Each structure stands twice: as C-alpha cells, then as structure tokens.
Amino acid sequence: MGLKAMLDKIDQQWLKSFHCVYENNSFKRAAEFLCLPTSNVSRHIALLEERLDTRLFDRTTRRIAPTDAGEHLYLRTQPLLDKLNDVLEEVTQQSHEVMGQLRVLMPDSPALAQAVVSFCTQHPSISLCCDTSISPKADLLDGFDIILSFHRGKLEDHRWIAKEIKRWPSAVVASPKLLQTSPIPFQITDLKHVPCINSFTALNGTPWVFKDAKGELITQKVQSAFKVNSGYLAKSGALAGLGFAILPTESCRHELNAGALEIVNMEYEPEDLILYAFYASRKHLAKKIPMFIEHLQHQANLDNSN
C-alpha cells in the first residue's frame, strides 16, 4: 500500500524533468529539450521535492548541483526509466529530422566555418547561433549546445563531455634565419634558453607538451616574448624568426617544402594538436548535437587555421 500510495503522488513528468535537469546540469537546457517553459520544469522539480520532502538540487545564481538525495534518486531510477523508454521506442518510430536552434562557440577558423555552413545547408530546419572565440573555454559552456576548441595535452576535468573531432601531428619548427643566429635545441630542456612562441592562456605561458616513445606526456616550460593564442599568428612569428614554435605539420607543409621553415628534432616529439567538441549531456541529447559532431568528424578539409 505504501509503495502504491507514493507512486500515486508522483507525476511521471516530474521525474522526466528531474532526469533532464540532472543530466544537462541546467534548468534552461532541460526545458529546451523537453519543449517546455523553464518555469514549468522548475515547478516540476519543486513539486517532486515537496512530495519527497527532500531537496534534490542545490541552486546558486550561476549553477546547480544535485544533492546526495538527488544523486541517489537519479542513480536508482535511471535504469527503470531507461527500460521503460526502450519498450516505448520499440513501438514507435523516432523522428530522424535534425531541427531546432543550434548554439555553437568555436574558434574563428575558415575550415570550421565551412563545416558549419555545409551542415546548415544539409539541414535547413536548423537555426544556427554561432559565436567565435580564439580560445574558447570549457568552463564558459553555459548558453551553448557545443563548444569547439583546440587543445594539446591533458584536458582539465569538468562535467562536460569532450569528443575528439580530429588530431594533427605536430613538430617544432623555426626559420633558417633563427637557426643561424640562435643555439639549436637538441633536448627539450634547451628550450628554456632560446626564444619560443607560446600561448598566453596561462600565467607566464603554457608549458609545451611532448610525448615519449610510450606516449606518456612530458611538459616543458619555455622562454617566450611572443605569446599568442592563434595558430596563424604563431606561424607568422616563426616565419619572421621571432622564435621556435610547435605547429601542426599539415598547417605549414608549404613553408616546410619551400624551406621557409625547418623542423627541429629533439629527443621527444610534440604532442598532437586535437580539436574537441564539448557538450553537456550523455542522455536526453537533442539529435542535432551528435549529428553535428558526426558531420565535423567527416570533414576531410579541417585544418587548424585559427
């Protein structure tokens, strides 16, 4: 009797809203997925908390996080709702149309721009809202469905999912002019004593990332008076002899073939440059997001011209 009485008090829509908020870490994104006003979703959570007589989410002005009770409720009910959903999907046909608003934050790259345009051409029901940032941050994801960002080395831990789109093997390069006037580094520790072109994303520049024969990552701080967050600027600086640079070999193949840049070999190779797509949720994911990621992965003309 007690179980039936409790089930009678709980509306299934409240549980659906709860799961969607939990998985998207946002009332707003959950409401968009459910095609409901945000106020409705908030009311569902409030009613569920009232009936269960326990708080399910801790809320602040910037973010929400599940309480221990919310975590427990999700983990115990998720398998049940998954099974119910599987049964329902067996007797209905899921829509294959890609539609709705797609909000993207990405580097201002010509190749990425072309990939976005071709996706919108193939899916005319998509309404695109795209913002560009030279170095978008995964901790600024709120308000976007997907963030595209170039990284080298380990990613910071965060609650968003990172999907690899493409990777580019890289090399340390320098102009012939610099190689004539500067000591040539033979070991990565030598980079502390020669001019290098570096990123300004961290205090005093981000350490360069190399990998050993086993693929283990090794970081090396370098000397730099030319800090940029743009692959194009880094290549331009290297061509002008302003410093040694790590660049994807694909992006400077023409300059290497022409002799305007030369590869500098050391005991370790630079780690690959990787383009990631960050998004919020593994489940309750609108079809437009995995379709957009799959489209990017199939673009053969992507380069790192950011």
Side-chain angles (χ1 to χ4, degrees):
M1 274 303 281
L3 176 61
K4 186 175 189 304
M6 181 60 77
L7 284 174
D8 287 344
K9 290 180 180 179
I10 303 297
D11 190 309
Q12 185 183 330
Q13 182 61 54
W14 304 349
L15 276 175
K16 189 174 182 182
S17 292
F18 164 75
H19 274 250
C20 215
V21 170
Y22 179 98
E23 288 160 356
N24 281 281
N25 210 31
S26 164
F27 280 85
K28 184 180 176 185
R29 284 190 293 269
E32 288 174 352
F33 177 83
L34 295 168
C35 297
L36 292 172
T38 306
S39 58
N40 285 27
V41 174
S42 297
R43 190 171 73 252
H44 294 162
I45 303 303
L47 288 167
L48 186 57
E49 289 178 326
E50 181 184 331
R51 292 292 167 87
L52 296 175
D53 194 25
T54 186
R55 179 173 285 275
L56 300 173
F57 293 104
D58 288 325
R59 304 161 177 83
T60 68
T61 53
R62 288 195 56 81
R63 61 182 60 211
I64 65 166
T67 62
D68 289 344
E71 196 83 34
H72 182 74
L73 178 64
Y74 176 81
L75 292 175
R76 293 300 297 271
T77 56
Q78 181 195 24
L80 301 174
L81 290 185
D82 280 350
K83 286 180 181 177
L84 177 59
N85 189 62
D86 289 344
V87 172
L88 294 174
E89 283 192 354
E90 286 174 7
V91 294
T92 188
Q93 188 172 4
Q94 194 174 13
S95 171
H96 292 284
E97 186 175 9
V98 178
M99 59 189 301
Q101 188 178 72
L102 181 65
R103 293 158 306 173
V104 181
L105 176 64
M106 68 180 200
D108 191 5
S109 152
L112 284 178
Q114 186 55 49
V116 170
V117 168
S118 62
F119 180 78
C120 292
T121 303
Q122 291 177 24
H123 303 285
S125 296
I126 283 289
S127 171
L128 177 74
C129 293
C130 186
D131 193 3
T132 55
S133 165
I134 288 177
S135 185
K137 299 294 182 186
D139 58 353
L140 300 177
L141 286 164
D142 205 29
F144 293 95
D145 297 306
I146 296 179
I147 284 191
L148 302 177
S149 184
F150 293 102
H151 291 266
R152 199 187 300 276
K154 290 187 71 173
L155 292 175
E156 294 180 13
D157 290 332
H158 50 76
R159 296 190 66 176
W160 288 63
I161 298 157
K163 189 85 167 179
E164 181 178 318
I165 301 299
K166 187 176 179 180
R167 63 173 58 223
W168 292 265
S170 301
V172 176
V173 298
S175 69
K177 172 186 172 184
L178 181 64
L179 292 173
Q180 290 173 3
T181 58
S182 168
I184 298 176
F186 292 99
Q187 297 186 326
I188 62 173
T189 50
D190 296 337
L191 295 168
K192 293 186 290 186
H193 310 294
V194 296
C196 295
I197 295 171
N198 202 10
S199 162
F200 65 78
T201 50
L203 188 65
N204 298 325
T206 308
W208 282 11
V209 184
F210 294 84
K211 58 187 175 185
D212 63 17
K214 296 180 179 178
E216 297 290 329
L217 298 184
I218 302 159
T219 58
Q220 175 63 54
K221 288 190 175 180
V222 300
Q223 171 189 317
S224 179
F226 191 74
K227 299 183 178 73
V228 296
N229 264 15
S230 158
Y232 178 78
L233 273 173
K235 183 168 76 170
S236 298
L239 286 166
L242 293 176
F244 294 84
I246 290 183
L247 293 174
T249 51
E250 184 179 310
S251 75
C252 52
R253 196 173 305 282
H254 174 75
E255 290 80 7
L256 290 169
N257 291 339
L261 289 174
E262 296 180 24
I263 291 178
V264 180
N265 292 309
M266 286 176 280
E267 81 271 41
Y268 301 122
E269 292 183 3
E271 169 64 331
D272 296 343
L273 181 69
I274 304 175
L275 174 65
Y276 288 99
F278 296 92
Y279 58 99
S281 173
R282 293 183 187 276
K283 301 175 70 65
H284 284 137
L285 199 61
K287 194 173 181 65
K288 61 190 175 184
I289 294 175
M291 288 292 288
F292 180 66
I293 291 172
E294 185 180 332
H295 178 81
L296 290 176
Q297 290 173 327
H298 282 83
Q299 294 302 294
N301 64 337
L302 282 180
D303 61 35
N304 75 313
S305 309
N306 60 327

